[in-house]
Amino acid sequence: MKIPVQHSRTEPSMQLSMHLEKLKGIAAICKVLHQNNLFNQARDAHDQLVDQYNSQLPVEKTGFWKEFRDNLTFNMNTHTIVRLEHLENDESYQRNLRSYSNDDKEYLMALLQSYLNPMGF
């Protein structure tokens, strides 16, 4: 008897990932520059998007029926779900924060300006 093996992965889209990275960069720069109002806006926007994304993810099954199915299929089917973290728990944000804390204030202001106004207007 042949058992088909299926591997699948649920992860955020490239657009969402890029937008979240931009918000993490803005938040990290604002934290270093002590711009609390802008930091709070970036953090709230990031966390709201993360909550919306995570709320749409399927709930991982546990208990008797999951174990029963895994035993029947020899646990060869895998489905990986990538859940996102809030800003304060995100490793990428922590890395940005450590990196930006060593940079010059003028450089950070220019970088923040490029994040906030990417078209140069």
Side-chain angles (χ1 to χ4, degrees), residues 26-36 39 88 93 97:
I26 292 170
I29 292 170
C30 291
K31 186 78 163 183
V32 170
L33 294 176
H34 305 292
Q35 299 291 325
N36 294 331
F39 168 76
E88 299 292 336
Y93 166 73
L97 197 58

Side-chain angles (χ1 to χ4, degrees), residues 74-93:
F74 302 105
N75 197 19
M76 291 190 294
N77 294 335
T78 60
H79 181 75
T80 305
I81 298 174
V82 177
R83 296 196 183 276
L84 299 175
E85 294 286 333
H86 284 124
L87 184 69
E88 299 292 336
N89 300 330
D90 192 274
E91 182 59 36
S92 175
Y93 166 73

